Amino acid sequence: MDDGKKSIAAVDERPVRRRKSPKGVIRREAILTAAMQHFAKDGYQNASFASIAADVGLSLPGLLHYFPTKVDLLLAILEKRDTDSTSATGEDYADWRKVLLGLIDVAKSNREIPHVVQAFAVLNAESLTQDHPARSWFASRASQLKGNFIHSLQKGISAGELRSDINTEAVAVELISIMDGLQMLWLRSPEEFDMVKVFSDYIHRLIASIECR
């Protein structure tokens, strides 16, 4: 069994993998964008694969070349959404301040892509049903996100920068709840309040309440 450790010679002997063509990358991004719009409007279950293909000028077999199944397309959307958000907080979640302030940047980015946020929110809610193909993905993501926040806060406590008596799990749950709740309110009535300002104010209050003085 391959243990993942290969010599340089072994690697060099492997066939050269073709790079994805710029046209193919652009087409793939167009498919993801169209799919997010359909998922946001119709939900995953009702979104039409054929309609998504038509929106980007492809036949159904042409779309299947990029994404063989609807589940493949769904998972690609979810992974892209998470990848786009990770750069703001840092992949290792080691710097608690960068993580918390980075979440404000995530909110700013989300404000510019309402159809993506809506699709994500719809899929998140739909995934609560027993047989939804993204059920395990969202459950795993929620658990991992909470764990990442807890890890970041505990690093801050160990560094003597955060109060030692804070309940890191409770703060992590609160963060996730505030983010998801604000997004839902904003999606329903985007003109009623400034989601970024409300979230930014909350983050700064949170920092002031948990930081050592």
Side-chain angles (χ1 to χ4, degrees):
M1 182 179 291
D2 182 8
D3 63 358
K5 297 179 180 178
K6 295 181 179 292
S7 67
I8 294 176
V11 172
D12 288 344
E13 290 172 2
R14 296 171 64 183
V16 176
R17 183 176 297 175
R18 293 182 178 178
R19 294 181 179 178
K20 293 180 179 179
S21 70
K23 183 178 179 181
V25 172
I26 292 172
R27 179 59 60 84
R28 189 175 187 277
E29 289 297 310
I31 293 170
L32 292 178
T33 297
M36 283 188 284
Q37 292 172 341
H38 280 272
F39 287 174
K41 181 168 66 75
D42 303 320
Y44 169 79
Q45 302 292 354
N46 295 324
S48 165
F49 226 36
S51 295
I52 295 170
D55 281 0
V56 292
L58 286 173
S59 63
L60 185 54
L63 177 59
L64 295 176
H65 170 74
Y66 291 93
F67 299 100
T69 70
K70 198 174 180 182
V71 174
D72 291 324
L73 179 55
L74 170 63
L75 294 178
I77 286 174
L78 297 177
E79 293 297 339
K80 174 177 169 54
R81 175 72 164 75
D82 259 16
T83 299
D84 291 345
S85 299
T86 299
S87 60
T89 56
E91 292 186 7
D92 56 4
Y93 283 77
D95 184 337
W96 68 270
R97 190 183 297 275
K98 178 180 180 179
V99 169
L100 294 182
L101 295 179
L103 293 175
I104 300 174
D105 291 331
V106 172
K108 290 177 181 177
S109 297
N110 286 345
R111 182 174 57 187
E112 305 305 315
I113 48 172
H115 69 282
V116 176
V117 178
Q118 184 178 355
F120 199 78
V122 169
L123 291 168
N124 195 358
E126 282 187 339
S127 72
L128 295 174
T129 58
Q130 188 63 38
D131 297 324
H132 195 280
R135 181 181 176 87
S136 61
W137 190 92
F138 274 103
S140 176
R141 177 185 179 274
S143 177
Q144 183 176 18
L145 188 58
K146 185 177 78 169
N148 286 340
F149 288 153
I150 291 173
H151 167 73
S152 180
L153 295 168
Q154 288 176 339
K155 293 275 286 185
I157 292 173
S158 298
E161 297 171 354
L162 297 179
R163 289 175 21 223
S164 61
D165 63 335
I166 65 173
N167 184 330
T168 55
E169 182 173 6
V171 173
V173 170
E174 179 183 319
L175 274 167
I176 296 171
S177 300
I178 291 290
M179 288 189 296
D180 288 352
L182 273 178
Q183 285 186 354
M184 292 297 291
L185 289 172
W186 174 70
L187 287 169
R188 291 186 184 282
S189 306
E191 304 302 325
E192 286 191 6
F193 70 99
D194 185 338
M195 175 180 67
V196 174
K197 184 179 187 308
V198 172
F199 186 65
S200 177
D201 289 347
Y202 158 73
I203 289 294
H204 287 290
R205 287 197 307 273
L206 175 62
I207 290 175
S209 70
I210 64 178
E211 192 173 16
C212 290
R213 298 183 181 182

